[in-house]
Amino acid sequence: MGQNFRLANLGLINRDKKISFKFNGKKYFGFEGDTIASALLANGIHLVGRSFKYHRPRGFFGAGVDEPYAIVQMVRNKETEPNVRATEQELFEGLDAKSVNCWPSVNFDIGAINNFFNKFLPAGFYYKTFMWPKSFWYRVYEPFIRKAAGFGVASTKYDSERYEHKYEYCDLLITGSGPAGLAGAYTAAKSGARIILAEEKPRFGGSLLTSDVNIGNQSGKDWADKIIAELKEMPNVTIKNRAQVFGYYDHNMLVMSEKVSDHLPKSKKFTPKQRLWYVRAKEVLISSGSIERPIVFGNNDTPGVVLASAAKEYLKVYGVLVGKKPLVFTNNDSAYETAIEFKKYGIDVIVLDTRINPKSEIIEEAKDLGIEIKFSHVVVAANGYKKVKSAQISKLSDNKKDLGKIEIIKCDCICVSGFWTPTIHLSSQSGNKTKFDEKIDAFVPGTSKQNETTIGSANGIFNLEETLKKSFEKGQELAKKITNNDLKISVPQVSEKKSTNHDKFWCVPLPDKKNYKRFLDFQNDVTVSDIELALREGYRSIEHVKRYTTLGMATDQGKTSNLNGLQLVSDVENKVVPSVGHTTFRPPYTPVSIGAIVGREVGKHSKPTRKSPMHSWHEKNNAIFVDAGIWLRPRYYKKGNEDLFEASKREAENVRKNVGVCDVTTLGKIDIKGPDAAEFLNRVYTNAWLKLPVGKARYGVMLREDGIVMDDGTTTRISENHYHMTTTTAQAANVLSHLEYYLQLVWPDLNVNVVSTTEQWAGAAIAGPKSRDLLQKLFPDLDTSNDGLPFMGYVESKLFGVTAKIFRISFSGELAYEVNVESDNGNYMWEKIMDIGKEFKIQPYGTEALSTLRIEMGHVAGTELDGRTIPYDNGLDGLVSKNKDFIGKRSLNRKAFIATNRQKVVGVVPLDKKTSIPEGSHLVVDENAKLPNPKLGHISASCWSVEYNNPFSLAILKDGKNMIGKKLFALSPLKNKSIPVEIVSSHYVDPKGERVRS
Amino acid sequence: MQKYSVFSLFKNALKGHKDWQVAWKDPNPKEEYDTVIIGGGGHGLATAYYLAKEHNITNVAIIEKGWIGGGNVGRNTTILRSNYMHDENGLFYEKGMELWRNMSQELNFNVMYSPRGIINLAHSDAQMNAYARRGNSMKLNGIDATLLGREEIKKLVPILDFSENVRFPIFGGLMQPSGGTARHDAVAWGYARQADSMGVDIIQHCEVTGFDVVNGKIKGIKTSRGNIKAKKVGLCVAGSTSILAEMLNMTLPLETHLLQACVSEPIKPILDHVVTFGAGHFYCSQSDKGEMVMGGDLDGYNSYAQRGNLPTLQHVLTEGIAMLPFLSKLKMLRTWGGIMDMSMDGSPIIDKTHIEGLYLNCGWCYGGFKATPVSGWTFAHTIAQDRPHDLNVGFNLNRFNTGHLIDEKGLGTKTWIS
Amino acid sequence: MLYIFCPHCGLRSQNEFSYGGDATVKRPALNKEVSDEQWNNFVYNRKSPRGKHVELWQHISGCRQWIKVQRDTVTHEIFKTVEANKEI
């Protein structure tokens, strides 16, 4: 099919590069620089989709970001993308697009049956029905509605594209490269300010690309080209096209999405699809322009009804006629430019102007060109279903309320202009309270809240000369503030034919006995009568109107509909628009790819991974890893066909019998130094610390101020004023901040310094009856006897030339040592231990075996210290000093905490000594009690006791200390299990703690 | 009151929908009421409704600073659930679920109650155990719950990331089959319409500026539209509680924080459940309109601004893609923020106060929407009977003194860590 | 994203900091008898003002110092920041 609606030699597209693409399976041609919309229009295609609710045919309404309907499904580089706006997506070779929300085809859409029932589907109809039978909403109606709703189809494949983030700082960010933006950017850049100029479209120049103006004896476009060329050469200027500043956040942080490769068939190597820019700007010049708003009339959603500015853009940028028999319907001068462009290319055009007898240079020009102009005339309704065929027009009474005789004139498109709405989204997002400007019937920015200044038509200034003058001034003023250079640029001579006067007329009354649908929101099918209904039903706040009717909630976020909606509400409610107010402008200005927001943190990189220095050894030795926060720890080392249970049992048994080694690098380590370190620890931990000798370690528990256990671990006195604290893996960062908080804010008088040394040390726990023998071999010069290195003792020694810290501490309950060496030597240490340990039948053990060992010893850990328990609950009464104050102590004497039947950790053994009790089971008296069944406690940790070869669990049990010997049921209804159990002491193995001291 | 039904819809259609009556009136405040509820959000409207319906107290006014339903009931992610571990929460929210199940019919307003099931994903055995503890507690409290393995989750929600290319693989999850969603605005409007029909005055655009307390007893309130006498006053103002508390010289265990949410552009059905990510904080469901409704962490500092910053959403959506890779090619359409009354143990407060006749309903954190009916139901009881119902007796203010805290997450007083 | 002035390092983006809550809450001195009310005011009760709020932030990805920041909880504007040992 030829491009019958393309004019020769006109526009800014590259005619040397023909591009083939598909739409709804059919092949078409366009040119490089086209959008899907311009290329389809060039081919005479107007029907692009169906509306959300009534499935009415929809065409192209705008030519950019304001487009309410032309949304397509697109395939690019074999990946499908839903909801692509056809007026923004540039054409590339092989582009494959299709219509959405229609079945079986856009031409014949079954859903259009809704249009016949539209009477029964007014705003909010679904709130009034679909209530019976009760289960039908979820089972019948909702699935049906869900299927009918939604536009495109999401890809179920991985996004193979790359998205990047960039953080940038600048003196001045300018959003939009129209006349205002260029003038502001130019002065500021010349003054030496570091600027970023962002343009959402592929081409710079904004309205200058299409309007008929002269600046300094050249066309607006030539002037723009010249400024852009000059800016591009300047080192202090970053200039980006296809870059949409979509959000204005706190403290002058703005975010823009740059579509780097979307216009290409596929992204080039090392080039992202999109780049997200976080820009911290000292000052922001908002020059985002304005969006033409429609006049509302009957069937104004018919394909072929377009914004006058869009028609002009299709003509001047793309050389495309939206129709060959156009009608222009306006209440202001700007649409005359559209009419004149048509006429220039030999197309006859009729202008209907709602104004009574307006005068301006451009109207004179139109008259001189022989364009037929009907003042005081309106389009009452468009005729045609899938395309405008004619228009019903009428004279409008002088009070604008009554229509005259309806006349029908043939036309194939209606170019409508109801004046301009400043794009105030960014300034409003910045916190700027908008104000209503009566002159232009629209909201403009009020007083700046952040360092932002709005210029040009975004500020409601539609006169070019004034725009340039003020923008040059603002650029100068801001640049002076930043650079101290006071560079004044004189405003070039400007000639502009159109005036800025407009008629305050926005909605054509219905003729008698006609009930045409008059659309406000084209995508969500919100009509004038919908808004009227909402108001009639008492949904009177503008937010209620929006939510009840869904006005402005479509993917265009009401860019062309919101203001007309407000006008309607103010008319019906007899209020002025500013007192109706508008809904909140929120980022993003236009939808932004979620991939771009997320950037590179996808897949395995969604969170960082921390590994110990021995990680590769573990990998080589069949470790199965477990996530511990962002650390990876060996859970067990698989031998042959072993499963988790078998392997961890073997590992634990070997610790009890021989010796095992466990990587404990992940434990948090904090170095504490200073003359007041002992006093500090004494305040941080619940037990006494003042008398800990040098070379000794002590177990401690620290609380939050609310009395809940925060963390536990051992701390060792390395020298007089030097301590080495260990924390749990999970709490390492919190504990450090906690200590710093008290040192810096609460007790600044204490002379203590803390620093994290977690990364500095690699740790190996050597545990088991043969661990002393192994240690002796590792450190031949060391006195490893109970006298030389007693339980909780600490020494420093050399491990084959490498400095090592040796702590005689134990989590497993066995005779055990923890050896720390500098991280770089971690693997060296590990291999030595494994090598020399062979003769003692050493085996590495993972976190699962570690759990088993600690559980049967009754040592509490994360599942007991779960942020809800106090020391007494965990059997740590002995560690709570009565003689001194410490963090959280005051909370411990609260009623619930000192209750005599307070929960306490206990041991649980199944009566049959066979059935493992699933963790998370609850303990009850009566397994068959009626629900809710009172719970006495829960199973916090379970293991297979390697000591007794039967299951053993820990539980936090109400009145635990008086429950020893009692029989209860452990219920896990999730797993349909009810297990009779006996409550025993939590210290199942070696209750006297003899082994660690052996 | 007009009855809504398919027949009334049909009948009115034939008359061009000209005969629909207002859903609620817009009266001026009277001089005096038996009970004044401050806050025309979901909880306030529900409280007024149940005061009228369950306790026959109809001389009631709802005082709303802006427009009704404009607080968190109009800016949440519409999730309903009762999947709590602690008895106080579980039993309370399960009563809520019962009220949800019948709400559309009771209110004669379709709130689109959709029990599509909520799934909390687990990414480790330890997390599976923590979920088992919660799920078993639910079951023993008579709440539906199932623990699902990886393969079972895969069958239900195949669109989740089950590939090798993940940082935190899915081990399984806890599902509450009766959990789901409802249309948030409709809940506010449905309660408003019924409350109005029973004689409750819904007074919008009326800001409370002070309280009239004499000898430890509430006598009335001062508003931007004049003084209103009242025998009893209930506070239902969520994130604004601390502001009113200051007028009453009360300092509460609350902080107001900012939570953002966002939706994608609408797409055809792809996710049939509510799913939450277990290795972070992200939740997602698909609205009937086709939008993916998403949320996660607080912005993390005290705030009364209903606007947040992008890095928080970036963080939330990072977890979103980790869970649902298809999100990458969708576009974020709309973001918004709400202010949350974060309590110091993460659980709500529904109680009397030291001022006679003044009642407090707050501390909903970011979970207030699902509580709307049961919060109203128990608060109405507390006000009408001047004592808490068994269901909210645990949500007393004194628990911070006694230590009877209800901390589901075990995070303590750092309310900004979500 | 907030832009916070660290008195030790200069202006830094919020993502280098972690929040620490109300800075006006003072911990009762050690070993001092305090009433339940005083203690609870310290542990739980917060003014949570709408408007100026003096709060703590820690520059965790920087100097690790706790600082006090006076910030508006409605506009998020920051008026002043000082070192931990100073008052606003």
Side-chain angles (χ1 to χ4, degrees), chain A residues 664-705:
Chain A
V664 292
T665 303
T666 62
L667 287 183
K669 295 175 267 300
I670 298 169
D671 220 41
I672 301 174
K673 277 186 179 166
D676 297 323
E679 172 62 25
F680 180 54
L681 290 171
N682 207 43
R683 297 178 186 186
V684 167
Y685 282 125
T686 60
N687 49 345
W689 283 79
L690 296 178
K691 290 176 185 160
L692 180 72
V694 172
K696 284 288 261 181
R698 183 166 285 174
Y699 174 73
V701 173
M702 60 178 83
L703 309 185
R704 310 188 306 219
E705 290 286 17

Short mmCIF file of all heavy atoms in Angstrom, two decimals, chain A residues 664-705:
data_model
loop_
_atom_site.label_atom_id
_atom_site.label_comp_id
_atom_site.label_asym_id
_atom_site.label_seq_id
_atom_site.Cartn_x
_atom_site.Cartn_y
_atom_site.Cartn_z
N VAL A 664 33.21 -19.82 60.55
CA VAL A 664 32.43 -18.85 61.33
C VAL A 664 32.81 -17.41 60.99
O VAL A 664 32.63 -16.50 61.79
CB VAL A 664 32.55 -19.11 62.85
CG1 VAL A 664 31.88 -20.42 63.22
CG2 VAL A 664 34.01 -19.12 63.28
N THR A 665 33.33 -17.25 59.79
CA THR A 665 33.75 -15.91 59.35
C THR A 665 32.62 -14.90 59.39
O THR A 665 32.83 -13.71 59.62
CB THR A 665 34.28 -16.02 57.90
OG1 THR A 665 35.34 -16.96 57.88
CG2 THR A 665 34.78 -14.69 57.39
N THR A 666 31.39 -15.39 59.14
CA THR A 666 30.29 -14.45 58.99
C THR A 666 29.87 -13.77 60.28
O THR A 666 29.17 -12.77 60.25
CB THR A 666 29.06 -15.16 58.42
OG1 THR A 666 28.65 -16.16 59.36
CG2 THR A 666 29.37 -15.83 57.10
N LEU A 667 30.30 -14.32 61.41
CA LEU A 667 29.95 -13.68 62.67
C LEU A 667 30.43 -12.24 62.65
O LEU A 667 31.51 -11.93 62.16
CB LEU A 667 30.64 -14.41 63.84
CG LEU A 667 30.09 -15.77 64.23
CD1 LEU A 667 30.84 -16.28 65.46
CD2 LEU A 667 28.61 -15.69 64.53
N GLY A 668 29.61 -11.35 63.19
CA GLY A 668 30.03 -9.96 63.25
C GLY A 668 31.16 -9.80 64.25
O GLY A 668 31.18 -10.45 65.30
N LYS A 669 32.14 -8.96 63.90
CA LYS A 669 33.26 -8.72 64.80
C LYS A 669 33.48 -7.22 64.96
O LYS A 669 33.50 -6.48 63.97
CB LYS A 669 34.53 -9.40 64.25
CG LYS A 669 34.40 -10.93 64.20
CD LYS A 669 35.57 -11.61 63.54
CE LYS A 669 35.42 -11.89 62.08
NZ LYS A 669 34.34 -12.74 61.64
N ILE A 670 33.58 -6.80 66.18
CA ILE A 670 33.74 -5.37 66.44
C ILE A 670 34.92 -5.18 67.37
O ILE A 670 35.02 -5.83 68.41
CB ILE A 670 32.45 -4.78 67.06
CG1 ILE A 670 31.28 -4.93 66.08
CG2 ILE A 670 32.66 -3.32 67.44
CD1 ILE A 670 29.92 -4.62 66.69
N ASP A 671 35.81 -4.30 66.97
CA ASP A 671 36.96 -3.98 67.79
C ASP A 671 36.58 -2.81 68.70
O ASP A 671 36.06 -1.80 68.23
CB ASP A 671 38.13 -3.57 66.87
CG ASP A 671 39.43 -4.15 67.36
OD1 ASP A 671 39.42 -5.32 67.78
OD2 ASP A 671 40.45 -3.42 67.33
N ILE A 672 36.85 -2.98 69.98
CA ILE A 672 36.47 -1.94 70.93
C ILE A 672 37.71 -1.52 71.70
O ILE A 672 38.39 -2.36 72.31
CB ILE A 672 35.40 -2.47 71.91
CG1 ILE A 672 34.17 -2.92 71.11
CG2 ILE A 672 35.03 -1.42 72.95
CD1 ILE A 672 33.11 -3.60 71.93
N LYS A 673 38.03 -0.25 71.65
CA LYS A 673 39.25 0.22 72.30
C LYS A 673 39.00 1.49 73.10
O LYS A 673 38.16 2.30 72.72
CB LYS A 673 40.34 0.52 71.25
CG LYS A 673 41.10 -0.70 70.79
CD LYS A 673 42.24 -0.31 69.86
CE LYS A 673 43.02 -1.54 69.42
NZ LYS A 673 43.88 -1.25 68.28
N GLY A 674 39.78 1.64 74.13
CA GLY A 674 39.69 2.88 74.90
C GLY A 674 39.70 2.61 76.38
O GLY A 674 39.34 1.51 76.82
N PRO A 675 40.11 3.59 77.17
CA PRO A 675 40.21 3.39 78.62
C PRO A 675 38.87 3.07 79.27
O PRO A 675 38.84 2.45 80.33
CB PRO A 675 40.77 4.74 79.12
CG PRO A 675 40.69 5.69 77.99
CD PRO A 675 40.62 4.90 76.73
N ASP A 676 37.77 3.50 78.66
CA ASP A 676 36.47 3.24 79.27
C ASP A 676 35.76 2.03 78.66
O ASP A 676 34.55 1.85 78.85
CB ASP A 676 35.57 4.48 79.13
CG ASP A 676 36.13 5.68 79.86
OD1 ASP A 676 36.70 5.48 80.95
OD2 ASP A 676 36.02 6.80 79.33
N ALA A 677 36.48 1.21 77.91
CA ALA A 677 35.85 0.10 77.20
C ALA A 677 35.13 -0.84 78.16
O ALA A 677 34.00 -1.28 77.90
CB ALA A 677 36.88 -0.65 76.37
N ALA A 678 35.76 -1.16 79.28
CA ALA A 678 35.14 -2.09 80.22
C ALA A 678 33.83 -1.52 80.75
O ALA A 678 32.80 -2.21 80.82
CB ALA A 678 36.10 -2.38 81.38
N GLU A 679 33.86 -0.25 81.12
CA GLU A 679 32.66 0.41 81.62
C GLU A 679 31.56 0.39 80.55
O GLU A 679 30.39 0.15 80.84
CB GLU A 679 33.00 1.85 82.03
CG GLU A 679 31.81 2.72 82.40
CD GLU A 679 31.02 2.21 83.60
OE1 GLU A 679 31.60 1.48 84.43
OE2 GLU A 679 29.80 2.50 83.68
N PHE A 680 31.97 0.62 79.33
CA PHE A 680 31.01 0.64 78.22
C PHE A 680 30.34 -0.73 78.07
O PHE A 680 29.12 -0.85 78.01
CB PHE A 680 31.73 1.06 76.93
CG PHE A 680 30.84 1.12 75.73
CD1 PHE A 680 29.67 1.88 75.75
CD2 PHE A 680 31.15 0.44 74.56
CE1 PHE A 680 28.84 1.96 74.64
CE2 PHE A 680 30.34 0.51 73.45
CZ PHE A 680 29.18 1.26 73.49
N LEU A 681 31.16 -1.78 78.05
CA LEU A 681 30.60 -3.13 77.92
C LEU A 681 29.68 -3.45 79.08
O LEU A 681 28.65 -4.10 78.92
CB LEU A 681 31.73 -4.16 77.85
CG LEU A 681 32.56 -4.11 76.56
CD1 LEU A 681 33.78 -5.02 76.69
CD2 LEU A 681 31.72 -4.54 75.36
N ASN A 682 30.05 -2.95 80.23
CA ASN A 682 29.26 -3.19 81.42
C ASN A 682 27.86 -2.57 81.30
O ASN A 682 26.91 -3.04 81.89
CB ASN A 682 29.99 -2.60 82.63
CG ASN A 682 29.63 -3.31 83.90
OD1 ASN A 682 29.57 -4.55 83.92
ND2 ASN A 682 29.38 -2.56 84.95
N ARG A 683 27.78 -1.51 80.51
CA ARG A 683 26.48 -0.87 80.30
C ARG A 683 25.72 -1.52 79.15
O ARG A 683 24.48 -1.52 79.13
CB ARG A 683 26.68 0.62 79.98
CG ARG A 683 27.33 1.39 81.11
CD ARG A 683 27.55 2.84 80.73
NE ARG A 683 28.29 3.55 81.76
CZ ARG A 683 28.52 4.86 81.73
NH1 ARG A 683 28.07 5.59 80.73
NH2 ARG A 683 29.20 5.43 82.70
N VAL A 684 26.47 -2.04 78.21
CA VAL A 684 25.84 -2.61 77.01
C VAL A 684 25.28 -4.00 77.30
O VAL A 684 24.18 -4.34 76.87
CB VAL A 684 26.87 -2.67 75.86
CG1 VAL A 684 26.35 -3.54 74.72
CG2 VAL A 684 27.18 -1.26 75.35
N TYR A 685 26.05 -4.80 78.02
CA TYR A 685 25.63 -6.17 78.29
C TYR A 685 24.89 -6.25 79.62
O TYR A 685 25.09 -5.42 80.51
CB TYR A 685 26.85 -7.10 78.37
CG TYR A 685 27.44 -7.48 77.03
CD1 TYR A 685 28.79 -7.24 76.75
CD2 TYR A 685 26.67 -8.14 76.06
CE1 TYR A 685 29.35 -7.63 75.53
CE2 TYR A 685 27.23 -8.52 74.85
CZ TYR A 685 28.57 -8.27 74.59
OH TYR A 685 29.12 -8.66 73.41
N THR A 686 24.09 -7.30 79.75
CA THR A 686 23.30 -7.45 80.98
C THR A 686 24.13 -7.96 82.14
O THR A 686 23.75 -7.80 83.29
CB THR A 686 22.13 -8.44 80.76
OG1 THR A 686 22.70 -9.71 80.40
CG2 THR A 686 21.20 -7.97 79.68
N ASN A 687 25.27 -8.60 81.85
CA ASN A 687 26.08 -9.18 82.93
C ASN A 687 27.26 -8.27 83.26
O ASN A 687 27.45 -7.23 82.62
CB ASN A 687 26.53 -10.60 82.58
CG ASN A 687 27.14 -10.68 81.19
OD1 ASN A 687 27.00 -9.76 80.39
ND2 ASN A 687 27.83 -11.77 80.92
N ALA A 688 28.05 -8.69 84.22
CA ALA A 688 29.14 -7.84 84.72
C ALA A 688 30.39 -7.97 83.86
O ALA A 688 30.76 -9.08 83.45
CB ALA A 688 29.47 -8.24 86.16
N TRP A 689 31.05 -6.86 83.58
CA TRP A 689 32.20 -6.87 82.69
C TRP A 689 33.43 -6.19 83.25
O TRP A 689 34.49 -6.20 82.64
CB TRP A 689 31.82 -6.23 81.34
CG TRP A 689 31.02 -7.19 80.53
CD1 TRP A 689 29.68 -7.46 80.69
CD2 TRP A 689 31.49 -8.06 79.51
NE1 TRP A 689 29.30 -8.44 79.82
CE2 TRP A 689 30.38 -8.83 79.07
CE3 TRP A 689 32.73 -8.29 78.93
CZ2 TRP A 689 30.49 -9.78 78.07
CZ3 TRP A 689 32.84 -9.23 77.91
CH2 TRP A 689 31.72 -9.98 77.50
N LEU A 690 33.28 -5.59 84.41
CA LEU A 690 34.40 -4.78 84.89
C LEU A 690 35.61 -5.61 85.30
O LEU A 690 36.73 -5.14 85.25
CB LEU A 690 33.94 -3.91 86.07
CG LEU A 690 32.87 -2.87 85.71
CD1 LEU A 690 32.45 -2.08 86.95
CD2 LEU A 690 33.38 -1.93 84.62
N LYS A 691 35.34 -6.87 85.67
CA LYS A 691 36.46 -7.65 86.21
C LYS A 691 36.97 -8.72 85.27
O LYS A 691 37.68 -9.63 85.69
CB LYS A 691 36.04 -8.27 87.54
CG LYS A 691 35.90 -7.20 88.60
CD LYS A 691 35.39 -7.77 89.90
CE LYS A 691 35.15 -6.63 90.89
NZ LYS A 691 34.24 -7.04 91.96
N LEU A 692 36.59 -8.64 84.02
CA LEU A 692 37.09 -9.65 83.08
C LEU A 692 38.59 -9.46 82.88
O LEU A 692 39.05 -8.39 82.51
CB LEU A 692 36.38 -9.49 81.73
CG LEU A 692 36.79 -10.49 80.65
CD1 LEU A 692 36.25 -11.88 80.96
CD2 LEU A 692 36.32 -10.03 79.27
N PRO A 693 39.38 -10.53 83.17
CA PRO A 693 40.84 -10.37 83.03
C PRO A 693 41.26 -10.32 81.56
O PRO A 693 40.54 -10.81 80.68
CB PRO A 693 41.41 -11.62 83.69
CG PRO A 693 40.26 -12.41 84.20
CD PRO A 693 39.02 -11.87 83.61
N VAL A 694 42.43 -9.74 81.33
CA VAL A 694 43.01 -9.78 79.98
C VAL A 694 43.22 -11.24 79.61
O VAL A 694 43.59 -12.06 80.44
CB VAL A 694 44.35 -9.00 79.96
CG1 VAL A 694 45.06 -9.20 78.63
CG2 VAL A 694 44.10 -7.52 80.22
N GLY A 695 42.93 -11.55 78.34
CA GLY A 695 43.12 -12.92 77.88
C GLY A 695 41.94 -13.82 78.19
O GLY A 695 42.04 -15.03 78.09
N LYS A 696 40.83 -13.22 78.54
CA LYS A 696 39.63 -14.03 78.79
C LYS A 696 38.44 -13.51 77.99
O LYS A 696 38.32 -12.31 77.72
CB LYS A 696 39.27 -13.98 80.28
CG LYS A 696 40.18 -14.84 81.16
CD LYS A 696 39.93 -16.34 80.99
CE LYS A 696 39.03 -16.86 82.12
NZ LYS A 696 38.81 -18.32 81.99
N ALA A 697 37.61 -14.46 77.63
CA ALA A 697 36.39 -14.12 76.90
C ALA A 697 35.20 -14.30 77.81
O ALA A 697 35.28 -15.00 78.83
CB ALA A 697 36.24 -15.02 75.68
N ARG A 698 34.10 -13.66 77.48
CA ARG A 698 32.90 -13.82 78.28
C ARG A 698 31.70 -13.77 77.34
O ARG A 698 31.69 -13.03 76.36
CB ARG A 698 32.81 -12.72 79.33
CG ARG A 698 31.64 -12.83 80.27
CD ARG A 698 31.80 -11.92 81.46
NE ARG A 698 32.80 -12.45 82.42
CZ ARG A 698 33.21 -11.79 83.49
NH1 ARG A 698 32.76 -10.58 83.75
NH2 ARG A 698 34.10 -12.32 84.29
N TYR A 699 30.71 -14.59 77.67
CA TYR A 699 29.47 -14.56 76.90
C TYR A 699 28.60 -13.44 77.42
O TYR A 699 28.52 -13.21 78.63
CB TYR A 699 28.75 -15.91 77.04
CG TYR A 699 27.37 -15.96 76.40
CD1 TYR A 699 27.24 -16.02 75.01
CD2 TYR A 699 26.22 -15.97 77.18
CE1 TYR A 699 25.98 -16.07 74.42
CE2 TYR A 699 24.96 -16.03 76.60
CZ TYR A 699 24.84 -16.08 75.22
OH TYR A 699 23.60 -16.13 74.64
N GLY A 700 27.97 -12.72 76.52
CA GLY A 700 27.11 -11.62 76.97
C GLY A 700 25.85 -11.52 76.15
O GLY A 700 25.78 -11.99 75.01
N VAL A 701 24.87 -10.93 76.78
CA VAL A 701 23.60 -10.69 76.11
C VAL A 701 23.33 -9.21 76.18
O VAL A 701 23.52 -8.60 77.24
CB VAL A 701 22.45 -11.46 76.81
CG1 VAL A 701 21.10 -11.08 76.22
CG2 VAL A 701 22.67 -12.95 76.70
N MET A 702 22.94 -8.63 75.04
CA MET A 702 22.57 -7.21 75.09
C MET A 702 21.10 -7.04 74.76
O MET A 702 20.53 -7.81 73.99
CB MET A 702 23.47 -6.37 74.18
CG MET A 702 23.44 -6.71 72.72
SD MET A 702 24.51 -5.61 71.76
CE MET A 702 26.11 -6.36 71.97
N LEU A 703 20.50 -6.05 75.38
CA LEU A 703 19.07 -5.81 75.21
C LEU A 703 18.83 -4.52 74.44
O LEU A 703 19.69 -3.65 74.38
CB LEU A 703 18.37 -5.67 76.57
CG LEU A 703 18.59 -6.74 77.62
CD1 LEU A 703 17.70 -6.46 78.83
CD2 LEU A 703 18.30 -8.13 77.06
N ARG A 704 17.63 -4.44 73.88
CA ARG A 704 17.15 -3.15 73.41
C ARG A 704 16.60 -2.42 74.65
O ARG A 704 16.40 -3.03 75.70
CB ARG A 704 16.01 -3.34 72.40
CG ARG A 704 16.35 -4.32 71.30
CD ARG A 704 15.30 -4.34 70.20
NE ARG A 704 13.94 -4.58 70.68
CZ ARG A 704 13.05 -5.34 70.04
NH1 ARG A 704 13.38 -5.94 68.90
NH2 ARG A 704 11.82 -5.48 70.51
N GLU A 705 16.33 -1.15 74.53
CA GLU A 705 15.83 -0.42 75.69
C GLU A 705 14.47 -0.94 76.15
O GLU A 705 14.06 -0.73 77.28
CB GLU A 705 15.75 1.09 75.40
CG GLU A 705 17.10 1.77 75.26
CD GLU A 705 17.85 1.98 76.58
OE1 GLU A 705 17.51 1.34 77.59
OE2 GLU A 705 18.80 2.80 76.57
#
